[in-house]
Coordinates of all heavy atoms in Angstrom, one line a residue:
G113 N 3.1 2.4 -20.1 CA 4.0 1.3 -19.9 C 4.8 1.6 -18.7 O 5.0 2.7 -18.2
A119 N 12.9 -2.9 -15.3 CA 12.3 -4.1 -15.8 C 12.8 -5.3 -15.0 O 12.0 -6.3 -14.9 CB 12.7 -4.3 -17.3
R125 N 13.1 -13.0 -10.0 CA 12.5 -13.3 -8.7 C 13.5 -13.0 -7.6 O 13.1 -12.6 -6.5 CB 12.1 -14.8 -8.6 CG 13.1 -15.8 -8.6 CD 12.6 -17.2 -8.6 NE 12.3 -17.7 -9.9 CZ 11.1 -18.1 -10.3 NH1 10.0 -18.0 -9.5 NH2 10.9 -18.5 -11.6
T145 N 22.8 -15.7 -7.9 CA 24.2 -15.9 -8.3 C 24.3 -16.9 -9.4 O 23.5 -17.7 -9.6 CB 25.0 -16.3 -7.0 OG1 26.4 -16.5 -7.4 CG2 24.5 -17.7 -6.5
D161 N 17.7 -24.5 6.9 CA 17.7 -26.0 6.8 C 17.1 -26.5 5.5 O 17.6 -27.5 4.9 CB 16.9 -26.6 7.9 CG 17.6 -26.4 9.3 OD1 18.8 -26.4 9.3 OD2 16.8 -26.3 10.3
L207 N 18.8 -19.2 -4.9 CA 18.7 -20.2 -3.8 C 18.0 -19.4 -2.7 O 18.5 -18.4 -2.2 CB 20.1 -20.6 -3.3 CG 20.1 -21.7 -2.2 CD1 19.5 -23.0 -2.8 CD2 21.5 -21.9 -1.7
E209 N 15.1 -19.5 0.9 CA 14.6 -20.3 1.9 C 13.2 -20.8 1.5 O 12.4 -20.2 0.8 CB 14.5 -19.5 3.2 CG 13.5 -18.4 3.2 CD 13.3 -17.7 4.5 OE1 13.3 -18.4 5.5 OE2 13.2 -16.5 4.5
D252 N -8.7 -23.4 -6.1 CA -10.1 -23.0 -5.8 C -10.2 -21.4 -5.9 O -9.4 -20.7 -5.3 CB -10.5 -23.4 -4.4 CG -10.6 -24.9 -4.3 OD1 -9.8 -25.6 -4.9 OD2 -11.6 -25.4 -3.7
L266 N -4.2 -6.5 -0.3 CA -3.5 -5.4 0.3 C -2.0 -5.6 0.1 O -1.2 -4.7 -0.4 CB -3.8 -5.2 1.7 CG -3.0 -4.0 2.4 CD1 -3.3 -2.7 1.8 CD2 -3.4 -4.0 3.9
N288 N 1.2 -17.9 2.0 CA 0.7 -17.3 3.3 C 1.4 -18.1 4.4 O 1.0 -19.2 4.8 CB -0.8 -17.4 3.3 CG -1.4 -16.5 4.4 OD1 -0.9 -15.5 4.7 ND2 -2.5 -17.0 5.0
L296 N 5.8 -12.9 -1.1 CA 5.9 -13.1 -2.6 C 6.9 -14.1 -3.0 O 8.1 -14.1 -2.5 CB 6.2 -11.8 -3.3 CG 6.3 -11.8 -4.8 CD1 4.9 -11.9 -5.4 CD2 7.0 -10.6 -5.3
D310 N -13.4 -18.9 -19.0 CA -14.8 -18.8 -19.3 C -15.6 -18.9 -18.0 O -16.6 -18.1 -17.7 CB -15.3 -19.8 -20.3 CG -14.8 -19.5 -21.7 OD1 -14.4 -18.3 -21.9 OD2 -14.8 -20.4 -22.5
L312 N -14.5 -18.3 -15.0 CA -14.2 -17.1 -14.2 C -15.1 -15.9 -14.6 O -15.6 -15.2 -13.8 CB -12.7 -16.7 -14.3 CG -12.3 -15.4 -13.7 CD1 -12.3 -15.4 -12.2 CD2 -10.9 -15.0 -14.2
D323 N -9.4 -8.0 -20.0 CA -9.1 -7.0 -19.0 C -7.6 -6.6 -19.1 O -7.2 -5.5 -18.8 CB -9.5 -7.5 -17.6 CG -11.0 -7.6 -17.4 OD1 -11.7 -6.8 -18.0 OD2 -11.4 -8.4 -16.6
P340 N -23.7 -10.1 -10.6 CA -24.3 -11.2 -9.8 C -23.4 -12.5 -9.9 O -22.8 -12.8 -10.9 CB -25.7 -11.5 -10.4 CG -26.0 -10.2 -11.1 CD -24.7 -9.6 -11.6
A368 N -19.5 -35.9 -18.6 CA -20.9 -36.0 -18.3 C -21.2 -35.5 -16.9 O -22.4 -35.3 -16.5 CB -21.5 -37.4 -18.5
R374 N -15.4 -27.4 -18.4 CA -14.4 -27.3 -19.4 C -13.4 -28.4 -19.2 O -13.0 -28.7 -18.1 CB -13.6 -26.0 -19.4 CG -12.4 -25.8 -20.3 CD -12.8 -25.7 -21.7 NE -11.6 -25.9 -22.6 CZ -10.8 -24.9 -22.9 NH1 -11.0 -23.7 -22.5 NH2 -9.7 -25.1 -23.7
A384 N -2.2 -39.0 -26.3 CA -1.0 -39.5 -25.5 C -0.8 -38.6 -24.3 O -0.9 -37.4 -24.4 CB 0.2 -39.5 -26.4
A387 N 3.9 -39.4 -18.1 CA 3.8 -39.5 -16.7 C 4.1 -38.1 -16.1 O 5.0 -37.4 -16.5 CB 4.8 -40.5 -16.2
A403 N -23.2 -23.9 -8.3 CA -23.7 -23.0 -7.2 C -23.4 -23.7 -5.8 O -23.4 -23.0 -4.8 CB -25.2 -22.8 -7.4
G422 N -8.2 -46.0 -14.4 CA -7.6 -46.3 -15.7 C -7.9 -45.2 -16.8 O -7.9 -45.4 -18.0

Side-chain angles (χ1 to χ4, degrees):
R125 70 183 86 240
T145 180
D161 293 329
L207 186 66
E209 66 174 323
D252 291 44
L266 178 61
N288 195 32
L296 180 74
D310 288 342
L312 173 69
D323 291 331
R374 174 71 191 276

